[in-house]
Amino acid sequence: MRAAGSTQDRYDAVVVGDGINGAVAAAELAGHGWSVALAPGLEPDGPAALIGATAPGFVHDVPSLWHALFRAGPSWPELGPDLQRFGLQYLVAEGPATAVVGEAGVVLGHRDPGDLADDMPDPHQRATYRAAAQRTRAVAPRLVESHGAGLSAGQLLHEGPACPPPADLLPPAEACAAGRPSARLWGPLLARVGVSSRHPRARLVTPMLAHVVHDVGLPVVRGGADCFLAALDALLDDRRVERVPGPLERVEVDGERAVAVHVGGRRLEAVGSVIGALDATTLTGLLDARRPPTTTPTDGPGRGTSPQPRSGRSASVEVHLALARPLAWCEPALDAVPLVHVEREDGPCVAVSQPSVLDPTRAPAGAATAWVSVPLPGTADPRSVPDPAEIERATASALDAVGCHVPRLRASVVGCRTVPTPAPAPPDPALVADYRPLPSWRPGAGGAFATGTSGLYHVGAYRLPRP
């Protein structure tokens, strides 16, 4: 809002970064009666549909676990009804939501944990999995919140009623190598969110993913990501969030407190808070002056440990395919599974999403779309884009691996687009040493963190833990 008789703009909160996390945070604050300005980030952020990118009539986007975590998190009850009122429609599988296929056979990630247990060959594993799934359901909301807020296991167990995560839902690396069905299923999903099965945080993230698959499914947006963004835009307008155009210049700091954001020649005064929805490095660089951390992280129940930088995801190539017909797998049960991971002996799994299984509007009648995620070898600079020859080799290898299970894959392709994706680079740990999770606010699918600067908060799951 603009104060009467003043040329300055004053708001209860100024959100910096108008991507998906920033927009959701702005909508939540405005829903509680705050006056909110939403300033752009330095780079585009969030999902967008690639309409006609491969062939006319085909709609592509990047499948994201963000939607599943958002649907399972604390923001959905507040924002979901209004988003649906503005046209958002999530589609989920009634049967298996995910699967893994390889030399060891197929494991189906059934929505019903009992069905998944029934597919296990060992009676003890079946009984253990059923019991573990029941115990996990009791603490599932806290598991989802802990992922976004950066809570440690000690904090999780101390701050709320919970039980230790069930052992059968926590596959360590040796269990994955032994080929236990549940480990084969959850291992690739851990990699999708950037957590190594060897990292201690896998003890929290694995049962969270199991809850998401069993109780929420892996939803896709009917019509593609642009339909989600249209509903979110309508919600921002409905809640009178002011979107401020222009280049983002700086965050003004007065003493030790963030007090305003400068955008396109305007000074947006934050009476209450400045909310950063950018990566930690960019956000820190926007401050008037950098200051060293003023506190030392502490461990232990009830004491906030600073969240660890995310760095588990490698660079990848996203291959968007327009298909003359839906994929026909050698194992027919996979034809209707929205997300399949294909195991390879010589490399990480290849993810294959089949969104038109749930949303036939994404392709002409009788046709289909698919998305293949191809992991790439690590580089010295995780943000660097691989050279075209490396992209071509990796793409061909991945499509060959999928083709072993979908013999007519290449013959059905009528359009293809490859999009290289650099790995997210972790910030300097010193930049987040003062960060503390805010247990009272976990917007969207991420968390909210108090930073080392008074009045400055950081939202979004900014980086995953180190592997």
Side-chain angles (χ1 to χ4, degrees), residues 430-441:
L431 300 182
V432 297
D434 276 351
Y435 276 33
R436 294 293 180 271
L438 300 178
S440 59
W441 188 38

Side-chain angles (χ1 to χ4, degrees), residues 227-310:
C227 293
F228 176 87
L229 297 179
L232 185 55
D233 282 344
L235 178 59
L236 292 172
D237 289 341
D238 185 67
R239 297 192 174 187
R240 299 183 179 180
V241 173
E242 181 178 351
R243 281 168 282 190
V244 181
L248 178 60
E249 297 163 1
R250 63 189 177 94
V251 175
E252 180 183 338
V253 177
D254 183 5
E256 292 294 321
R257 182 176 181 82
V259 296
V261 177
H262 292 256
V263 181
R266 293 173 61 183
R267 181 182 185 273
L268 311 178
E269 181 181 352
V271 178
S273 305
V274 174
I275 313 294
L278 308 165
D279 67 87
T281 302
T282 302
L283 181 61
T284 303
L286 289 168
L287 299 180
D288 280 348
R290 285 187 170 182
R291 285 168 302 283
T294 56
T295 60
T296 301
T298 57
D299 294 359
R303 302 284 298 185
T305 58
S306 62
Q308 297 298 308
R310 297 188 171 196

Side-chain angles (χ1 to χ4, degrees), residues 204 326 364:
L204 298 179

Side-chain angles (χ1 to χ4, degrees), residues 385-403:
V385 177
D387 65 79
E390 182 180 1
I391 291 173
E392 185 175 352
R393 287 193 300 269
T395 300
S397 174
L399 293 180
D400 286 343
V402 177

Side-chain angles (χ1 to χ4, degrees), residues 48-55 58-62 316-323 369-374 391 395 399 413-421:
L50 303 173
I51 300 174
T54 56
F58 291 85
V59 176
H60 304 269
D61 60 16
V62 178
S316 63
V317 174
E318 296 161 0
V319 184
H320 300 273
L321 299 175
L323 305 171
T369 62
W371 170 88
V372 179
S373 178
V374 184
I391 291 173
T395 300
L399 293 180
V413 175
V414 297
C416 176
R417 177 176 176 179
T418 59
V419 181
T421 304

Side-chain angles (χ1 to χ4, degrees), residues 15-28 38-41 43-49 61-71 75-76 79 83 88 90 221 224-233 235-236 243 275-278 441-447 459-461:
V15 179
V16 182
D18 57 354
I20 190 169
N21 286 315
V24 166
E28 286 197 36
L38 180 58
E43 297 180 358
D45 177 35
D61 60 16
V62 178
S64 174
L65 288 174
W66 187 94
H67 293 287
L69 296 173
F70 174 54
R71 184 65 181 81
S75 295
W76 177 253
L79 300 182
L83 288 171
L88 173 64
Y90 277 134
V221 179
D226 280 357
C227 293
F228 176 87
L229 297 179
L232 185 55
D233 282 344
L235 178 59
L236 292 172
R243 281 168 282 190
I275 313 294
L278 308 165
W441 188 38
R442 300 182 178 97
V459 300

Side-chain angles (χ1 to χ4, degrees), residues 109-309:
H110 295 281
R111 292 288 307 279
D112 187 335
D115 291 340
L116 177 59
D118 288 340
D119 287 347
M120 297 181 179
D122 182 84
H124 176 71
Q125 285 186 5
R126 291 197 293 269
T128 301
Y129 193 89
R130 286 192 179 91
Q134 187 65 33
R135 292 168 61 201
T136 299
R137 179 170 291 175
V139 299
R142 290 290 291 160
L143 293 173
V144 174
E145 293 172 4
S146 74
H147 176 67
L151 299 181
S152 66
Q155 289 173 282
L156 175 69
L157 299 178
H158 177 84
E159 292 186 7
C163 60
D168 192 68
L169 288 177
L170 312 174
E174 58 269 22
C176 292
R180 294 176 64 187
S182 60
R184 289 181 60 208
L185 189 65
W186 308 128
L189 288 175
L190 278 172
R192 288 286 306 277
V193 297
V195 178
S196 166
S197 59
R198 297 176 177 85
H199 194 280
R201 192 159 179 78
R203 293 179 55 83
L204 298 179
V205 179
T206 306
M208 178 199 74
L209 292 173
H211 161 68
V212 166
V213 168
H214 292 316
D215 287 18
V216 179
L218 300 178
V220 302
V221 179
R222 180 179 174 85
D226 280 357
C227 293
F228 176 87
L229 297 179
L232 185 55
D233 282 344
L235 178 59
L236 292 172
D237 289 341
D238 185 67
R239 297 192 174 187
R240 299 183 179 180
V241 173
E242 181 178 351
R243 281 168 282 190
V244 181
L248 178 60
E249 297 163 1
R250 63 189 177 94
V251 175
E252 180 183 338
V253 177
D254 183 5
E256 292 294 321
R257 182 176 181 82
V259 296
V261 177
H262 292 256
V263 181
R266 293 173 61 183
R267 181 182 185 273
L268 311 178
E269 181 181 352
V271 178
S273 305
V274 174
I275 313 294
L278 308 165
D279 67 87
T281 302
T282 302
L283 181 61
T284 303
L286 289 168
L287 299 180
D288 280 348
R290 285 187 170 182
R291 285 168 302 283
T294 56
T295 60
T296 301
T298 57
D299 294 359
R303 302 284 298 185
T305 58
S306 62
Q308 297 298 308

